[in-house]
Amino acid sequence: MHRNMRNSFRWQEKPRMCYQPSDDLFYWKIHTKTPSFFSTLKQDAAAGSSSMMSLRALALIGASISGILSFGTITSADEAEHGLPAPNYPWPHKGILSSYDHASIRRGHQVYQQVCASCHSMSLVSYRDLVGVAYTEEETKAMAAEIEVVDGPNDEGEMFTRPGKLSDRFPQPYPNEQAARFVNGGAYPPDLSLITKARHNGQNYVFALLTGYRDPPAGVAIRDGLHYNPYFPGGAIAMPQMLIDGAVEYEDGTPATESQMGKDVVTFLSWAAEPEMEERKLMGFKWIFVLSLALLQAAYYRRLKWSVFKSRKLVVDAVN
Amino acid sequence: MADEELVDPKLYLEETCKPKCVRPLRAYQACIERIKGDESGHKHCTGQYFDYWKCVDQCAALKLFDKLK
């Protein structure tokens, strides 16, 4: 009787506790044969319809060749379009716990003021931001007082001009974008407040651009009014070379070579775009350390609580 | 400091890096020769120029900041 019952139950699956691959329809779909492109080729060949096979094969080969060829034409047009990639310079503030070179920020601000401010605005930076970073409060107040700011209206309803204060933003060279374009041959000198964050690989790019004015390659002609710069996308930039040896006389006596001015002004621009960098690095280092300790604690606590289930033993009591 | 003549260290470094980048330089010069007689204005050597200056840039970038304050 027992044997008969066993034979009659043969078609049933044995009781099981866990997932079997055959449960999954997706599993079946992968493991059953579905006709593919290549198998249709073989089938056609087997069936003797050689014309169909050669047409398919030709289509496949033709598509792949034209795809590869089009890549070739794209790369040759792209080089000047993207500009020469800037090399990676070893900026002193690059390390995980490195701060800015504040003397360099001070020199860079001097370069900005004397060379760049005639065309480029930095309308997001105020004079008070410089206090404690590049200048003392008295120096900054004196610097701000040199500019005239439109304020008002006064009690009589009129706008008036007054000397600048710490709370004023850096002065703008042009009243609006249209005026800037008109004076510069249609090109707009961008605002530099965030320029090192607004360009890919910003710090290296700006330094390479400022110090990278060279003769164009053979066969490349730049029209009047533009200048060749390999790092600028397209190669033709409206700005002429501005950093020339000796253009600025540094207060601290540093020799003002083109690359020295470039390094200082890019350090200044990096500070302007990321004034919080030093505090951010300190905070980041501290909190990554704290969170790693917390991770170790959490991992231990999880494993402690789960040890109950991980060491559980199940007994299967089935009659077969 | 009697520094009437400011010498830009970048230019000096680019000169010293030229021997290391002879191969792309020769390729660029060969390209110039090839397109010498071209009247169409479509031929240019930007590719070889970029290869050469990429090599010089990478060589000079390592040492430049050591020479600056």
Side-chain angles (χ1 to χ4, degrees):
Chain A
M1 166 83 165
H2 176 65
R3 196 175 288 172
N4 285 341
M5 284 200 65
R6 243 195 5 197
N7 282 342
S8 64
F9 282 136
R10 244 179 165 183
W11 57 271
Q12 281 181 343
E13 292 173 0
K14 294 195 186 135
R16 49 193 164 79
M17 296 295 289
C18 59
Y19 159 83
Q20 299 282 2
S22 48
D23 288 347
D24 197 346
L25 282 175
F26 190 58
Y27 173 91
W28 281 118
K29 240 186 153 182
I30 295 171
H31 286 80
T32 50
K33 285 185 187 169
T34 47
S36 73
F37 181 72
F38 292 103
S39 61
T40 50
L41 274 181
K42 285 184 203 152
Q43 283 168 21
D44 288 339
S49 56
S50 52
S51 55
M52 276 304 288
M53 178 188 114
S54 54
L55 259 179
R56 281 188 208 268
L58 261 178
L60 178 64
I61 292 168
S64 46
I65 287 180
S66 57
I68 292 167
L69 281 179
S70 59
F71 273 131
T73 49
I74 286 171
T75 48
S76 64
D78 256 358
E79 267 175 325
E81 227 179 306
H82 286 159
L84 182 60
N88 288 317
Y89 292 96
W91 295 99
H93 52 264
K94 202 164 74 164
I96 195 169
L97 281 179
S98 303
S99 68
Y100 286 122
D101 177 358
H102 286 258
S104 192
I105 297 179
R106 187 183 171 117
R107 289 194 299 268
H109 173 254
Q110 190 183 347
V111 173
Y112 164 74
Q113 228 180 8
Q114 294 179 14
V115 176
C116 322
S118 50
C119 298
H120 287 278
S121 59
M122 280 186 84
S123 53
L124 298 178
V125 185
S126 307
Y127 281 99
R128 58 178 172 79
D129 298 328
L130 290 168
V131 175
V133 171
Y135 299 95
T136 64
E137 190 175 332
E138 295 80 28
E139 285 173 330
T140 324
K141 274 189 183 160
M143 221 188 314
E146 285 171 19
I147 62 157
E148 290 277 311
V149 172
V150 174
D151 203 354
N154 59 13
D155 293 339
E156 293 169 18
E158 290 169 351
M159 305 298 282
F160 58 94
T161 55
R162 56 158 177 83
K165 294 188 287 196
L166 283 182
S167 56
D168 292 322
R169 299 274 169 97
F170 280 5
Q172 307 221 12
Y174 305 106
N176 50 53
E177 185 185 327
Q178 287 83 346
R181 284 189 186 276
F182 178 65
V183 175
N184 291 291
Y188 174 59
D191 186 284
L192 299 180
S193 316
L194 294 166
I195 197 77
T196 54
K197 283 204 287 196
R199 298 289 180 268
H200 172 70
N201 198 13
Q203 296 178 22
N204 293 318
Y205 168 72
V206 176
F207 181 83
L209 186 86
L210 291 173
T211 58
Y213 283 86
R214 298 183 187 125
D215 291 331
V220 171
I222 309 289
R223 69 164 174 85
D224 269 348
L226 297 180
H227 310 84
Y228 183 75
N229 192 307
Y231 303 96
F232 189 69
I237 190 172
M239 174 175 75
Q241 180 176 0
M242 296 300 293
L243 297 181
I244 300 167
D245 293 336
V248 161
E249 211 177 286
Y250 279 134
E251 286 175 346
D252 60 359
T254 313
T257 56
E258 180 188 346
S259 19
Q260 180 69 53
M261 289 192 285
K263 172 178 177 277
D264 292 332
V265 83
V266 173
T267 308
F268 168 69
L269 292 174
S270 309
W271 165 79
E274 292 176 282
E276 80 288 352
M277 183 270 271
E278 289 156 340
E279 191 186 348
R280 182 187 76 214
K281 283 185 182 173
L282 285 172
M283 226 193 291
F285 192 82
K286 170 185 170 186
W287 285 107
I288 288 176
F289 175 67
V290 168
L291 289 173
S292 339
L293 295 180
L295 177 69
L296 292 173
Q297 179 273 333
Y300 174 81
Y301 188 71
R302 182 263 186 202
R303 287 183 66 82
L304 179 67
K305 292 299 170 189
W306 273 74
S307 61
V308 176
F309 296 96
K310 294 252 185 166
S311 52
R312 185 173 62 171
K313 294 212 183 329
L314 297 173
V315 176
V316 176
D317 191 13
V319 174
N320 227 353
Chain B
M1 299 240 296
D3 253 344
E4 281 300 336
E5 287 231 20
L6 286 169
V7 177
D8 189 13
K10 193 167 187 245
L11 288 174
Y12 167 73
L13 279 173
E14 283 170 359
E15 285 298 309
T16 56
C17 282
K18 254 192 193 166
K20 293 198 183 137
C21 298
V22 173
R23 194 172 297 169
L25 180 60
R26 296 279 170 255
Y28 178 54
Q29 287 165 346
C31 173
I32 298 175
E33 284 300 315
R34 275 202 303 277
I35 70 165
K36 244 195 180 127
D38 176 56
E39 295 296 333
S40 71
H42 289 317
K43 299 187 186 174
H44 59 89
C45 295
T46 306
Q48 291 83 348
Y49 181 89
F50 274 23
D51 291 336
Y52 169 65
W53 279 109
K54 196 169 192 177
C55 175
V56 172
D57 276 345
Q58 276 169 347
C59 164
L62 296 168
K63 311 172 203 158
L64 177 60
F65 278 30
D66 293 332
K67 304 226 185 289
L68 299 177
K69 189 168 167 188

